[in-house]
Amino acid sequence: MSAMTSEISFPSADGSLTIYGSLNLPLNDPGTGKTLPAILLVNGSGPIDRNGNVPSMKMYFNTCNRFAEHMGTRTAERFIAILSYDKRGVGKSIKKGDKHLFYRAGMMDLVLDAVEAVRYLSDHPRIDNRRIVILGHSEGAIILPLICHEVSQSGLGSIFGCIFYGGFGENLRDAMKLQRKRSVDEVSEMKGVWGWILRKLVTEERLEKQYKDLMEKVNAENQPDYISIQFGLMKYPAKWTREHFAYDVTSSLQKYITCHCLAITGKKDVQVRNEFCDSKKAAQLVPNAASVEAHRPQNLTHALRSLEGASKLMNIKKDYTNMGKLPLDEELLSITDQWCNRVLFGHE
């Protein structure tokens, strides 16, 4: 089935700017009045655009555009529309005169912007508003329960399904702690002169002090929206961090997830824990879900590609740069396709 990508826009939740994105639909409208299910893509942390890239940091993950390309190959009878968008402060979703818009945004700003994306899909004449699925990757997976809750509170009805990629059951505080520990563990095993040097620089004590110093700035009395770090060379979203740390992910999963769920975290994902995608644990995390399916592919990484050999935090930029040139993982897409066929279309 041929698909076309069109640029779309919708107002941000607070009405302060226009959010721009891309919508994939079948190339030809058969004119039958038949509507399509849709998947909304919600990206991970950082200034990520509609394609899943971070141009400002020259990081090209190509997650959203590759996912849309794959879904565009589905048959007409099982076609799924795909919507992705530039986060506020990224790509075309900018506000004139506010160069720090992205760093001012809190977690709830991102949640409510996603709700407006759902509203756009719900109002679209070619979309079946009873079959909208939200796919969250990384941070997008973490905040999925809140998005579902806010959608229901907004009068848009219930979300039909949730897909969690690399973040099911995780929270920001524990993910940061996990990454600090893994960094120290990796350095302790490195050989040669470079390993010796890194063991002097990357220690548990030093990383914990850096984290403590960061949190003191984040929680400063004046409650800043963002702070400067790295000798003033970089900005860091303080409001976003405070809201994440106040967010109870486990409770939200239990209370707010009542739809069909698919959760996938790879065993070579070094940024989050994969044990929540054990089938029994997954069912316990979302006891009110209409259904839950969980997978832990052996070689899948956080970049949604497979990796032969060891996955290391210390190699993450190099690995992700190379992975961004590759198609998304075949097993990941196969699991997702089968789930969509069964849940969205009632077919095995």
Side-chain angles (χ1 to χ4, degrees):
M1 180 72 181
S2 297
M4 65 174 181
T5 302
S6 302
E7 182 170 84
I8 59 90
S9 64
F10 54 88
S12 64
D14 56 11
S16 66
L17 73 150
T18 299
I19 304 288
Y20 288 86
S22 295
L23 178 65
N24 271 43
L25 287 170
L27 186 58
N28 298 310
D29 183 353
T32 61
K34 183 179 179 181
T35 53
L36 304 165
I39 297 178
L40 168 66
L41 306 183
V42 181
N43 274 308
S45 59
I48 301 181
D49 67 15
R50 70 187 78 177
N51 292 318
N53 297 328
V54 190
S56 61
M57 298 179 183
K58 294 183 170 55
M59 295 294 290
Y60 300 96
F61 305 110
N62 295 304
T63 48
C64 296
N65 51 1
R66 294 285 167 83
F67 185 83
E69 287 169 9
H70 171 76
M71 286 297 176
T73 65
R74 294 173 66 89
T75 63
E77 294 76 18
R78 299 185 183 183
F79 196 93
I80 303 171
I82 306 295
L83 174 61
S84 58
Y85 58 93
D86 298 331
K87 285 186 180 181
R88 57 169 59 210
V90 180
K92 287 188 69 174
S93 302
I94 56 176
K95 187 161 58 173
K96 189 174 181 181
D98 190 353
K99 63 180 181 179
H100 299 316
L101 176 61
F102 168 77
Y103 294 100
R104 294 183 196 281
M107 179 191 73
M108 285 306 301
D109 293 316
L110 304 181
V111 167
L112 295 175
D113 285 344
V115 173
E116 294 310 305
V118 172
R119 190 184 308 280
Y120 174 88
L121 287 172
S122 295
D123 292 340
H124 196 286
R126 296 187 67 186
I127 302 301
D128 181 351
N129 58 20
R130 298 164 301 174
R131 290 188 294 163
I132 293 176
V133 172
I134 307 177
L135 188 162
H137 176 219
S138 192
E139 185 198 5
I142 292 173
I143 63 177
L144 250 182
L146 284 179
I147 298 172
C148 289
H149 176 63
E150 294 296 334
V151 166
S152 66
Q153 293 295 104
S154 70
L156 289 170
S158 298
I159 291 298
F160 186 82
C162 285
I163 301 175
F164 301 79
Y165 280 177
F168 180 68
E170 193 57 273
N171 64 79
L172 181 64
R173 188 195 301 270
D174 287 346
M176 292 172 71
K177 182 177 180 180
L178 174 73
Q179 291 170 33
R180 293 196 302 275
K181 182 181 185 304
R182 283 185 171 165
S183 295
V184 173
D185 290 346
E186 286 180 18
V187 167
S188 71
E189 297 175 357
M190 293 179 70
K191 309 294 184 183
V193 175
W194 184 235
W196 180 84
I197 292 171
L198 284 178
R199 280 191 290 278
K200 299 294 181 184
L201 299 173
V202 183
T203 66
E204 183 178 354
E205 294 76 15
R206 183 176 292 224
L207 293 182
E208 289 301 324
K209 184 180 185 307
Q210 290 174 351
Y211 172 73
K212 181 181 178 182
D213 292 344
L214 173 69
M215 295 312 299
E216 284 181 357
K217 288 185 176 182
V218 164
N219 294 314
E221 189 175 350
N222 64 337
Q223 297 284 280
D225 286 345
Y226 66 91
I227 57 175
S228 295
I229 58 174
Q230 302 290 340
F231 306 105
L233 298 175
M234 296 178 63
K235 305 299 179 191
Y236 183 85
K239 176 184 175 184
W240 173 85
T241 304
R242 290 193 302 271
E243 291 183 357
H244 260 289
F245 278 25
Y247 167 40
D248 187 336
V249 177
T250 302
S251 175
S252 293
L253 284 166
Q254 292 172 348
K255 290 190 297 184
Y256 302 145
I257 296 297
T258 58
C259 60
H260 298 281
C261 295
L262 172 64
I264 307 173
T265 301
K267 290 189 176 181
K268 290 191 178 178
D269 191 325
V270 294
Q271 292 183 249
V272 296
R273 295 168 286 180
N274 67 68
E275 56 259 37
F276 298 120
C277 284
D278 169 82
S279 295
K280 186 177 291 186
K281 288 184 180 178
Q284 291 171 347
L285 278 172
V286 285
N288 297 309
S291 68
V292 58
E293 180 179 328
H295 299 265
R296 296 190 285 173
Q298 193 67 38
N299 291 321
L300 185 66
T301 68
H302 201 67
L304 306 183
R305 276 84 168 183
S306 287
L307 179 69
E308 296 298 329
S311 181
K312 302 281 189 182
L313 267 175
M314 304 303 288
N315 297 336
I316 205 167
K317 186 167 185 179
K318 177 184 174 183
D319 286 344
Y320 285 7
T321 297
N322 292 331
M323 289 180 195
K325 302 170 187 174
L326 303 174
L328 296 182
D329 180 68
E330 288 185 10
E331 184 178 3
L332 174 83
L333 294 176
S334 176
I335 292 169
T336 305
D337 277 333
Q338 291 175 41
W339 183 85
C340 288
N341 289 341
R342 185 173 62 258
V343 172
L344 282 171
F345 298 97
H347 300 290
E348 290 296 335

